[in-house]
Amino acid sequence: MSINPDSTGAVDASNLLWQSNPLCVTVSPSCPSIMTDYSLAASCRPSTFSNITFFGGEVLDIQATLITNYTAYAPEALRLTAPAVTLTEATFCNVTIAYTHPGQDDRLTVETWLPVENPGWNGRLEAVGGGGWAAGRLAGFSYGTMTGALADGFATTTTDGGVSSENGFDPSSWVLNSPGNVNWLDLNNFAFVSLKEQAIIGKAVITSFYGRGPSYSYWNGCSQGGRQGLQLAQRYPDAYDGIVAGAPGLYLTRVAASLYWPQQVMNNLQAWPYGCELDALSAAATAACDGLDGVIDGAISASADECLAAFDPFTVVGTPVENCRQAGNRTVEISRAAAAVVNATWHGVTTAKGKKVWHGVPPGADLSNDGADGSVPGVAVTDCSSGTCVGIPQPLTPPWFNLFLAGGDPSFDLASMTHEEYDEFVHLSRHVYRSTLETDDPDLSRFRDAGGKLITWHGLWDELIPSKGTEQYYNEVAATVSDVDGFFRHFEIPGLGHCFGRSSSNPTSLFAQLQAWVENSTAPTQSSVKLTVPDGSVHNRIICAYPKMAVLGQDGCDDPADEGCWSCV
């Protein structure tokens, strides 16, 4: 395939992903030896894959099901780095392989979708990740990403990592062998072992079905899926040619602690503000920091540090907030406690002795969302329905403290944890889990030497994982490995929440740009997004490879809605 991005590295994904080329599966003059769609369909049976073996594993069960007339929509939010797409009347082979590591009494499953018709296979693999405490095979997330990959002609694969977690929030079924005893085998499977085997099995399934392996293999994930992508680059540098990792849960022990930090602050203060107070403070920060980049557009493009220097939440204490939903739609005033909670959340985890431990959630992020609409809940949620407000921890955090750290001890009460006890857990967690979950190794020289390409991206309104953590990782890699710009690019996206949502679109050209980098050596310098501004209009914008930022008017053009008026500086 000829991939011809423009001078900025941008690629028309719709053209890129649908071009015909010699990497096809239908009979034509350009590929006369490849099986027909009919013979591929007939090959969708367990016996086709019965020869699959790999060192250290034993296949337990093979299921192969031909899916026909499959129509589904993959929204931008689930595609992560590619445009929304509708898959129409597709035929594909769903191959699901269960296996074990002999002697470990585990059971892992890798599920692979193999395009047959509408569309045919494009000769490539796109593996996808999970979310929360789920390694993959996650309804409404992993399968949405796979649907988009299939629509673009990719074979696509996911793994459950040998563990189950409904909606990605609850690991209680697997994290402990017994009270006080972590299930290290399952945890290792979840954290890294299954990721290597997903690549091995996925490629073997493709080879068995099409008669050859993928010409190029890619990873696409966000959040837990982003952490998985970086884990692959760190541990298994030959697994994929290109990795795109959004909002990655790097430094996971510190991220897990930070998700509970606002609740710990409220418990320390013995004060639980109304959500409308936190919303008003976020809005005030946005108003104060919006124009720091010279453009008023309802988003904060400046760094979190610049915004924190420009806005002090305590200056708006006493400001009335009308129609506060949590207070029965009456008017309330922003309390000093609310300012203290927001200030601590923005500045990050701090010990009882005042030492900063981890980054904060950026100003402007949605802290109070209760998830009632099905979205992911925020980190500073309170429930005031009884007339007295109480804290509601972000759902990912109680298992971390109750199970991973307290070992299921029934005497442990998360809501009664002191600041000093919280500090001790944060310190202990790094010692216990760093080698398994932290995913913080900056030495990517093996990935670089293998020819791999890596793109990370992070929304600057991420309400769960601090964007400065990904920035820190990029800087640490740059300080450790030579020629970082030759294989690793990072993009920060003003107005984007955790993996998707808020006022910015997803970076829907990044996956195509990763392909262009891997297959044509065209490195991305900028990418396109759409930003919805306060009046409801949509601006075409660019995001820039870090550390550059988008600046308006460098060439005399000053229309903020025109992508061409923005430059990376």
Side-chain angles (χ1 to χ4, degrees), residues 83-442:
V85 67
T86 298
L87 180 65
T88 304
E89 296 184 355
T91 299
F92 67 97
C93 183
N94 183 334
V95 181
T96 303
I97 295 181
Y99 66 97
T100 187
H101 302 105
Q104 295 188 7
D105 194 30
D106 54 4
R107 184 182 179 93
L108 300 85
T109 302
V110 171
E111 182 175 352
T112 306
W113 297 358
L114 304 166
V116 174
E117 187 176 18
N118 294 330
W121 185 41
N122 67 10
R124 298 166 176 81
L125 167 65
E126 179 180 337
V128 309
W133 295 116
R137 301 192 80 199
L138 189 59
F141 193 71
S142 305
Y143 290 131
T145 312
M146 292 176 74
T147 296
L150 191 69
D152 290 336
F154 288 84
T156 181
T157 183
T158 182
T159 178
D160 67 1
V163 301
S164 61
S165 179
E166 185 177 356
N167 296 323
F169 289 131
D170 184 10
S172 60
S173 65
W174 60 267
V175 70
L176 297 178
N177 278 322
S178 60
N181 298 297
V182 172
N183 184 343
W184 284 103
L185 292 178
D186 278 359
L187 183 59
N188 286 341
N189 283 340
F190 165 80
F192 57 88
V193 173
S194 65
L195 302 178
K196 177 183 181 181
E197 292 163 350
Q198 177 185 357
I200 292 171
I201 293 172
K203 292 176 184 179
V205 166
I206 289 169
T207 301
S208 295
F209 192 66
Y210 296 114
R212 64 175 181 82
S215 297
Y216 299 100
S217 299
Y218 298 94
W219 176 271
N220 186 16
C222 189
S223 194
Q224 180 62 246
R227 184 204 67 83
Q228 291 168 315
L230 271 297
Q231 185 75 273
L232 284 157
Q234 293 169 19
R235 287 183 186 257
Y236 310 117
D238 297 320
Y240 296 97
D241 301 297
I243 294 170
V244 58
L250 304 170
Y251 313 97
L252 188 61
T253 65
R254 283 170 278 186
V255 167
S258 73
L259 286 170
Y260 188 72
W261 172 238
Q263 297 291 330
Q264 184 62 45
V265 173
M266 289 189 255
N267 293 340
N268 294 343
L269 296 171
Q270 287 294 288
W272 297 268
Y274 293 115
C276 66
E277 297 178 73
L278 308 186
D279 294 342
L281 286 160
S282 291
T286 300
C289 301
D290 183 359
L292 291 176
D293 65 343
V295 179
I296 303 297
D297 53 16
I300 299 174
S301 298
S303 71
D305 292 339
E306 288 179 275
C307 185
L308 292 174
F311 177 70
D312 179 357
F314 291 100
T315 61
V316 294
V317 169
T319 301
V321 182
E322 298 180 349
N323 301 314
C324 179
R325 178 176 59 85
Q326 299 88 352
N329 295 320
R330 62 184 175 85
T331 297
V332 301
E333 293 184 351
I334 295 176
S335 64
R336 187 167 185 82
V341 170
V342 166
N343 192 57
T345 302
W346 290 343
H347 281 86
V349 179
T350 306
T351 68
K353 295 182 178 180
K355 180 183 178 181
K356 184 170 180 176
V357 174
W358 193 236
H359 309 291
V361 172
D366 187 354
L367 305 180
S368 68
N369 175 30
D370 60 10
D373 60 356
S375 59
V376 177
V379 295
V381 179
T382 58
D383 180 0
C384 305
S385 58
S386 68
T388 301
C389 295
V390 295
I392 305 296
Q394 210 287 331
L396 294 169
T397 60
W400 177 249
F401 286 93
N402 292 330
L403 302 177
F404 286 86
L405 300 180
D409 184 348
S411 67
F412 174 70
D413 179 20
L414 183 61
S416 300
M417 181 168 56
T418 67
H419 197 158
E420 289 76 12
E421 289 170 332
Y422 173 86
D423 293 345
E424 184 60 28
F425 273 136
V426 173
H427 177 76
L428 175 67
S429 66
R430 288 204 71 206
H431 286 276
V432 175
Y433 293 109
R434 183 174 185 180
S435 65
T436 305
L437 292 171
E438 199 77 339
T439 319
D440 63 347
D441 184 0

